[in-house]
């Protein structure tokens, strides 16, 4: 896997995953590109501000499931997948994605973005990070930082948003990397967007494997 390490690969995440050995990844992040949330909010007239979002490659449910199956295969036992989900998947459930995997939901973090987003009814200020663990489930020895709160407030800078409209909070990602891995462990992000996880991994002296089809 040496040729995949510490690079901003521009390939399909599923093609990347196929090149990774079983049970070799210490921590995975997956941030799918949902169209669903925008459809359900009934935006038809997104206007100039939203055009950037619609240029992104959307993922069908079957594609997301295929990613999760592969992540399950490459992840080590008792290690974690950090999965970003929207509010509709939070409420309606993601169990179909977990069929045929050894992954189980073990926790949830709400990210308070500290600024008001879109919405015809309420305005969106939060996103959700599901924490899944590959069986066998084990808390002891798999989670080092004991004061990560399940509501995490962190603003994204305008520069980060310029890089990608869905950039995720680096402070939270760094805390999770530090909590769930050791130095030189391998962290995966197969739909990496702005490669914010890569930046965090470098800072924490871990190894990165990840790609984005477009960025
Ligand atoms: C929600 S964004 C990820 C944002 C990222 N977490 C960050 O902090 O910048 C999802 C990304 O998935 C990418 N994508 C969509 N389909 C893909 C595929 N098949 N393989 C790899 N990347 C894909 C999109 O180009 C988009 O940049």
């Amino acid at each position: 896997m040496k040729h995949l390490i510490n690079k901003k690969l521009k390939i399909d995440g599923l093609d990347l995953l196929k090149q990774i050995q079983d049970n070799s990844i210490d921590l995975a992040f997956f941030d799918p590109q949902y169209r669903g949330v925008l459809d359900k909010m009934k935006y038809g007239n997104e206007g100039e501000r939203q055009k950037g979002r619609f240029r992104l490659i959307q993922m069908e449910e079957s594609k997301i499931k295929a990613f999760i199956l592969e992540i399950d295969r490459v992840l080590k036992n008792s290690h974690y997948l950090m999965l970003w989900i929207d509010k509709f998947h939070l409420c309606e459930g993601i169990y179909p994605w977990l069929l045929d995997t050894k992954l189980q939901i073990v926790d949830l973090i709400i990210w308070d973005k500290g600024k008001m987003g879109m919405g015809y009814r309420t305005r969106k200020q939060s996103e959700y990070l599901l924490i899944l663990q590959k069986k066998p489930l084990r808390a002891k020895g798999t989670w080092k930082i004991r004061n990560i709160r399940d509501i995490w407030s962190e603003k994204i800078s305008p520069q980060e948003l310029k890089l990608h409209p869905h950039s995720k909070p680096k402070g939270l990602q760094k805390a999770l990397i530090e909590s769930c891995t050791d130095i030189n462990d391998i962290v995966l992000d197969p739909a990496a967007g702005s490669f914010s996880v890569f930046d965090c991994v470098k800072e924490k002296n871990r190894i990165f494997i990840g790609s984005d089809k477009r960025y």
Side-chain angles (χ1 to χ4, degrees), residues 105-134:
I105 298 167
V106 292
D107 216 324
L108 167 74
I109 295 175
I110 298 169
W111 170 35
D112 168 14
K113 301 159 109 163
K115 94 179 194 348
M116 193 164 65
M118 302 178 300
Y120 274 168
R121 299 174 186 90
T122 62
R123 303 286 295 267
K124 192 173 164 218
Q125 185 159 323
S126 54
E127 289 195 27
Y128 310 93
L129 184 72
L130 274 184
I131 300 171
L132 299 122
Q133 189 173 31
K134 183 167 169 179

Side-chain angles (χ1 to χ4, degrees), residues 12-13 31 33 57 59 63 164 168 190-192 194 196 212-213:
D12 192 302
D31 185 9
Q33 190 63 51
I57 309 161
M59 286 185 193
K63 185 97 178 178
H164 198 290
K168 294 301 183 286
S194 62
S196 63
D212 193 285
K213 218 168 167 177

